[in-house]
């Protein structure tokens, strides 16, 4: 398969910084540099959408200093957006620091749709929260006694996007950590040990090659 919509769990930033004798916050800055390279390269590989996990609903458990460093890095990335992509967000933006919330709202309002690639940034995102949020919206807006899968999916925050073809997780852990739970039902999963700031074009190429050799069956028979 050739992914059009790729999800990335950008894990390993903190460990990268520690391995270089740097404060963890330097890992988040380095991580966003890696992201810029990967966006540019993804365009050349005809990827239409990158959904990247930047901050999970569980990441609030971290020390305040670290949370602020992560938000600062996202803020600086969003304040000087590259011209190469349009940006959208998924997750609950309500509890974010005011400045980041305003920047995200402004980007959403002015969103261009003619760019070569869409960068969908998951901030304060959790797959479970997104599903529960969808249920609450359905409960408050409809008096349905039954609902089908496609109507349910239309209430998720990524409802306007095609399903995520593949998810890459860097940093060595082999789990989804609450990323795109509903949407990943048939996604191809790729786990690599590389820490996110070290992830580069050649590694993405290697993964795309591996994905090309995988066949998606979606429950059907081998052909
Ligand atoms: C992942 O990097 C990004 C965020 C959680 C924001 P980590 O901060 O989890 O990096 P490691 O896993 O501790 O190395
Ligand atoms: C997942 O990484 C969240 C992001 C990459 C934003 P974590 O580092 O938070 O995940 P766990 O705690 O190892 O499961
Ligand atoms: Mg981590």
């Amino acid at each position: 398969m050739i992914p059009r919509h790729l999800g990335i769990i950008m894990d390993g930033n903190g460990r990268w910084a520690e391995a270089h004798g740097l404060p963890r916050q330097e890992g988040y800055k380095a991580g966003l540099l890696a992201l810029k390279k990967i966006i540019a390269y993804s365009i050349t590989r005809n990827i239409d959408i990158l959904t990247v996990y930047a901050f999970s609903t569980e990441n609030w458990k971290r020390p305040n200093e670290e949370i602020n460093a992560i938000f600062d890095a996202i803020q600086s990335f969003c304040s000087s957006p590259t011209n190469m992509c349009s940006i959208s967000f998924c997750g609950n933006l309500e509890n974010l620091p005011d400045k980041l919330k305003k920047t995200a709202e402004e980007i959403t309002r002015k969103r261009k749709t003619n760019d070569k690639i869409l960068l969908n940034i998951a901030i304060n995102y959790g797959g479970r929260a997104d599903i529960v949020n969808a249920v609450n919206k359905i409960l408050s807006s409809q008096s349905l006694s039954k609902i089908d899968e496609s109507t349910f999916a239309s209430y998720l925050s990524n409802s306007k996007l095609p399903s995520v073809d593949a998810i890459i997780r860097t940093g060595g852990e082999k789990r989804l950590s609450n990323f795109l739970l509903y949407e990943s039902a048939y996604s191809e999963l790729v786990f690599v040990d590389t820490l996110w700031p070290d992830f580069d074009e050649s590694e993405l190429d290697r993964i795309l090659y591996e994905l090309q050799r995988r066949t998606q069956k979606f429950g059907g028979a081998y052909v």
Side-chain angles (χ1 to χ4, degrees):
M1 56 95 59
I2 297 171
R4 296 276 173 243
H5 181 181
L6 187 62
I8 306 182
I9 302 174
M10 307 182 290
D11 197 23
N13 300 286
R15 278 168 286 162
W16 179 91
E18 284 162 17
H20 287 78
L22 297 167
R24 285 176 65 88
Q25 66 199 59
E26 294 301 320
Y28 302 113
K29 291 189 199 159
L32 288 169
L33 290 179
L35 178 59
K36 282 191 181 166
K37 278 197 295 191
I38 292 305
I39 298 167
Y41 193 65
S42 297
I43 294 171
T44 71
R45 303 313 310 249
N46 292 325
I47 292 168
D48 297 326
I49 304 163
L50 284 178
T51 294
V52 296
Y53 209 5
F55 190 87
S56 76
T57 46
E58 288 70 37
N59 287 148
W60 293 106
K61 294 177 190 162
R62 297 193 182 197
N64 273 341
E65 200 186 326
E66 178 157 334
I67 294 173
N68 291 337
I70 296 167
F71 288 149
D72 283 352
I74 303 173
Q75 174 75 49
S76 82
F77 179 86
C78 290
S79 306
S80 58
T82 56
N83 285 327
M84 31 182 196
C85 59
S86 19
I87 297 178
S88 63
F89 297 92
C90 58
N92 181 1
L93 303 183
E94 276 312 305
N95 311 337
L96 300 183
D98 277 352
K99 194 172 170 206
L100 182 55
K101 197 169 119 186
K102 282 208 182 84
T103 307
E105 284 166 355
E106 201 168 321
I107 288 173
T108 305
R109 208 172 41 247
K110 292 186 184 160
R111 184 178 147 192
K112 305 171 282 164
T113 49
N114 57 349
D115 276 303
K116 295 193 181 77
I117 195 165
L118 172 67
L119 179 71
N120 183 36
I121 310 178
I123 313 180
N124 195 14
Y125 174 89
R128 286 183 177 173
D130 208 48
I131 290 169
V132 171
N133 205 20
V135 172
N136 281 324
K137 280 197 245 167
I138 293 163
L139 289 174
S140 64
S141 70
Q142 308 262 3
S143 50
L144 296 172
S145 56
K146 246 184 171 177
I147 191 163
D148 61 19
E149 287 183 13
S150 66
T151 310
F152 180 79
S154 73
Y155 286 87
L156 295 171
S157 58
N158 291 315
S159 63
K160 301 267 182 330
L161 304 182
S163 60
V164 61
D165 301 305
I167 294 175
I168 299 171
R169 180 173 187 145
T170 60
E173 310 293 356
K174 294 176 180 63
R175 52 179 173 253
L176 288 176
S177 300
N178 210 5
F179 187 50
L180 303 179
L181 295 187
Y182 191 91
E183 296 90 330
S184 63
Y186 269 103
S187 306
E188 294 295 326
L189 304 178
V190 181
F191 299 100
V192 294
D193 289 336
T194 310
L195 302 174
W196 173 249
D198 288 331
F199 190 82
D200 63 8
E201 295 91 337
S202 63
E203 187 144 28
L204 178 56
D205 241 355
R206 188 190 59 69
I207 291 170
L208 293 176
Y209 181 70
E210 181 190 326
L211 289 172
Q212 252 178 52
R213 291 181 298 164
R214 294 195 196 176
T215 306
Q216 290 184 296
K217 287 168 55 247
F218 299 106
Y222 274 108
V223 280

